[in-house]
Amino acid sequence: MEKINRLSSFLRLENKQETPQKLYCPKIKILQKDTVSFKGSSVATMPHELNNILGLLKELQSGNIAKTLENLANKVIKPAIPVNGNFKNLCANVFGDIPYTTRIKKLESIMPKIKARLSVKELTLENAMKKVTDLQGGMGITDGTHEASNVYVKRLIQALKDGDIRTITSVRNYQGPQTPPYLTPKNIMQIQEAQKKYGVPVEKIKDGESAYTKNGYPGAHITGITREGLPFEFQI
């Protein structure tokens, strides 16, 4: 109760004698979003009370928010469990003979992703499902040749035709300045054309210089929605 009274006292600005000052505070986003978004903004406030108010808000809110995030993450995972067999079959059809693994994203991985991408007011199941675009994941290892990529894309498009993939939402063709990408321009065009024919256009394409990685790491990351309406990500 004492903490809440101190918080209320500050918010009423009972100390009206002191003129608020303009300052840059790298932690002020805590008041606008959640307890971990520290991007910063310029605001009028009282420097001597700033640390106290931020500390109080963080302490009062952290427990509730942590529990909310945990409950929400569990709800995100729940629908993927009974249809995991279907997703494994989808991966087998898309990756074919190349080595691959599958997984459902874990609770400890989903919670920080939701926390980083949603404000407290946005913590709903619908919003969380939109942000966790890799709830179900499949990763394959290819030899990096265009022939292997052609086979992979052909299988991917077939899954789209068969309805096992409802829609492809993004294609990220990561590469380095000296490292060729896995997908060719023709591969990306084929995915776009198939998506237009069997659904809506791909929402996001990342290729060329916009897809450069600092360490030159190549990889093709494709996200979408399965037949069951759950988000997935394939990586090669």
Side-chain angles (χ1 to χ4, degrees):
M1 182 62 68
E2 179 184 352
K3 292 176 180 177
I4 295 176
N5 289 337
R6 288 165 56 198
L7 177 60
S8 300
S9 175
F10 176 79
L11 292 177
R12 288 197 303 269
L13 298 178
E14 290 181 347
N15 185 3
K16 297 180 181 178
Q17 300 299 321
E18 187 167 350
T19 303
Q21 299 178 20
K22 194 83 170 177
L23 76 156
Y24 179 82
C25 174
K27 296 185 179 180
I28 199 61
K29 281 292 182 180
I30 189 174
L31 298 173
Q32 301 176 11
K33 298 187 77 174
D34 54 31
T35 58
V36 294
S37 298
F38 297 152
K39 294 184 179 179
S41 64
S42 183
V43 297
T45 189
M46 297 179 181
H48 72 283
E49 286 284 351
L50 184 59
N51 289 333
N52 290 340
I53 188 65
L54 294 179
L56 283 171
L57 284 173
K58 185 174 182 179
E59 185 178 340
L60 290 169
Q61 294 179 3
S62 60
N64 291 336
I65 290 181
K67 191 63 178 177
T68 299
L69 288 171
E70 182 179 353
N71 291 337
L72 193 55
N74 276 317
K75 290 180 180 179
V76 170
I77 294 172
K78 187 176 179 180
I81 296 174
V83 296
N84 193 37
N86 294 348
F87 182 71
K88 288 183 177 181
N89 290 336
L90 171 60
C91 289
N93 292 335
V94 171
F95 291 116
D97 297 330
I98 68 174
Y100 70 90
T101 60
T102 69
R103 62 105 181 100
I104 297 176
K105 200 169 186 68
K106 295 182 178 179
L107 182 72
E108 56 267 28
S109 298
I110 292 178
M111 288 178 64
K113 179 168 284 191
I114 295 174
K115 184 188 291 186
R117 297 182 178 183
L118 294 175
S119 70
V120 175
K121 293 181 179 180
E122 296 171 329
L123 291 178
T124 65
L125 180 58
E126 181 181 0
N127 289 336
M129 291 295 285
K130 291 179 181 178
K131 298 300 181 182
V132 184
T133 56
D134 57 347
L135 173 60
Q136 299 173 110
M139 177 180 287
I141 301 175
T142 75
D143 59 11
T145 63
H146 288 164
E147 289 76 12
S149 296
N150 290 339
V151 172
Y152 168 71
V153 170
K154 183 178 180 180
R155 288 175 173 271
L156 185 73
I157 292 174
Q158 186 61 49
L160 190 63
K161 291 180 180 179
D162 294 341
D164 294 325
I165 294 177
R166 184 182 297 180
T167 183
I168 294 173
T169 54
S170 73
V171 177
R172 294 174 173 82
N173 199 24
Y174 293 118
Q175 57 196 280
Q178 307 301 324
T179 309
Y182 285 154
L183 300 182
T184 64
K186 182 178 179 180
N187 290 150
I188 294 178
M189 182 184 68
Q190 289 171 328
I191 294 172
Q192 286 178 300
E193 289 179 350
Q195 177 60 48
K196 288 179 182 179
K197 185 175 181 180
Y198 296 99
V200 296
V202 179
E203 295 176 7
K204 184 173 184 179
I205 300 288
K206 196 170 185 178
D207 192 27
E209 291 186 9
S210 67
Y212 279 1
T213 56
K214 292 181 179 180
N215 59 2
Y217 154 79
H221 295 195
I222 294 176
T223 63
I225 305 296
T226 65
R227 179 190 294 273
E228 294 79 15
L230 298 176
F232 74 88
E233 181 180 54
F234 287 153
Q235 297 183 16
I236 60 170

